[in-house]
Structures are given as structure tokens and as C-alpha cells.
Amino acid sequence: MRKPKVTPIEKEVVLKEEDFIVSKTDLKSRILYGNKIFIEISGYNEDELLGQPHNILRHPDMPRCAFKILYDHIENGKEWFGFVKNLRKDGGYYWVYANISPTFDTNGKIIEYYSVRRKPTTGFKEIIEPLYKQLKSIEESEGMEASLKAVEELLQKHSMSFNELMIKIQKGLINEL
């Protein structure tokens, strides 16, 4: 089993360029499948993950509005792109750039969700961490609706959708918000 790189003070595990984390969940976000790297990076064993809600990995630094936007996309049959800070079993964390999409049956009905995650681009933290910190602060003082409004205002300012903004940050085309 591969030992993840852990930064001693912050307990951050950094994905390698070649790491692709894959998982599937049911419609209630219970984990149905996780590839080997997903299991290793999470710090859990497979038996501890399968059947659990995916939010077992939710880091407390993540704003709730990010997940509201995510579920609004995938429950409406659209894919979602974004940066997620995940919590490991040992209390450490790891950042991913995620693409989550619905899986459809032959009748076009959503039957599960599929996620592929990889290492975020260099420099993303300088943009995403302050944004997420601001959104968390808004949520704590004014509620999630206010943080969603702040996201909408940011997207209007840049004249793009949430996915477009996340993709441009991942490509290094946006250096500040």
C-alpha cells in the first residue's frame, strides 16, 4: 500500500499528478464504489467507506453553499466542477479538483452519481481558500442563502457560470477573484 505524502504540521496529503480518485454514490450520496487511490487517500479501509454517506469526508472548512450548488447541478442532470477540501480519517486533509456527474439509465432517469477527482493546479489555494473562508463566514453570520447570493454576485462580476469559473481557475486562467 502506498504511503501518502503528509505535511507534518498541517497534515495535508498532496495528490500526485497521476492520481485519479474515482467513486460512485447512490442518489442519497452513499458510497457504492471507490477506487484504490480513493480508499488510500481517505485513510479509511473499503469496509468503512462502502455504504457510508460521502460527507464522511466533508472537511469543516468547506462552505455548505458549495455542496448546495453541486447538488443543484447533478440533481438536475448537469455535471459539476469544483475544488473540495476533504477530511481524512486521521484528521488530515487533501484537496481535489472534482468533476461530478449523474449517471442515467436507458430511460434518462438519474440512478447514481460518478465522481473523478485529481490534483488541483498549482496556485489554486490562493484563490479558493480565501473565497471559501469568506463564504463560511457569511454562512455563519447570515446563513447559506446569503453565501449563495455572494457566489451569484461573484459569477455575475466575472460573467460566467460556476463551472466556467472553476475550470478557468484549474487551468490557471484566473489568478484572483
Side-chain angles (χ1 to χ4, degrees):
M1 181 176 202
R2 169 186 117 148
K3 295 214 182 230
K5 179 184 170 189
V6 177
T7 306
I9 297 171
E10 299 174 343
K11 293 170 64 172
E12 179 178 8
V13 175
V14 179
L15 276 69
K16 294 180 181 178
E17 290 296 328
E18 65 271 15
D19 288 340
F20 280 88
I21 297 172
V22 178
S23 63
K24 284 190 210 180
T25 67
D26 65 15
L27 298 181
K28 300 221 183 259
S29 294
R30 290 180 296 243
I31 300 168
L32 302 173
Y33 166 80
N35 69 346
K36 183 178 176 184
I37 190 69
F38 173 66
I39 294 163
E40 289 175 6
I41 292 291
S42 75
Y44 290 92
N45 66 48
E46 187 174 29
D47 291 339
E48 292 174 305
L49 285 174
L50 295 182
Q52 293 300 312
H54 207 286
N55 69 7
I56 191 173
L57 304 171
R58 187 178 199 169
H59 195 282
D61 289 349
M62 286 296 299
R64 291 180 313 148
C65 69
F67 297 104
K68 170 78 169 113
I69 294 166
L70 183 163
Y71 281 99
D72 284 351
H73 275 75
I74 63 175
E75 288 174 351
N76 287 299
K78 301 174 190 170
E79 64 184 335
W80 176 89
F81 292 90
F83 297 91
V84 180
K85 185 176 186 178
N86 284 320
L87 184 64
R88 291 173 38 89
K89 180 180 179 181
D90 66 5
Y93 66 93
Y94 59 101
W95 279 98
V96 295
Y97 177 66
N99 170 239
I100 303 170
S101 57
T103 303
F104 301 91
D105 67 11
T106 56
N107 296 318
K109 181 180 175 191
I110 298 171
I111 55 171
E112 58 189 21
Y113 302 118
Y114 181 78
S115 178
V116 177
R117 288 145 346 251
R118 63 182 181 216
K119 182 179 182 177
T121 191
T122 302
F124 83 97
K125 281 188 197 179
E126 288 78 18
I127 301 166
I128 295 299
E129 283 185 328
L131 174 62
Y132 284 3
K133 186 176 182 177
Q134 176 188 15
L135 294 172
K136 282 271 303 177
S137 177
I138 292 170
E139 285 176 6
E140 290 166 4
S141 63
E142 303 172 52
M144 188 169 59
E145 289 303 319
S147 66
L148 287 167
K149 184 177 179 192
V151 171
E152 186 58 38
E153 289 170 358
L154 175 67
L155 296 175
Q156 287 175 359
K157 173 184 167 187
H158 290 280
S159 300
M160 60 183 73
S161 70
F162 186 88
N163 282 346
E164 289 170 327
L165 180 63
M166 295 298 115
I167 291 167
K168 286 187 179 209
I169 292 169
Q170 176 66 8
K171 288 183 175 182
L173 300 175
I174 294 180
N175 298 319
E176 64 181 44
L177 297 176

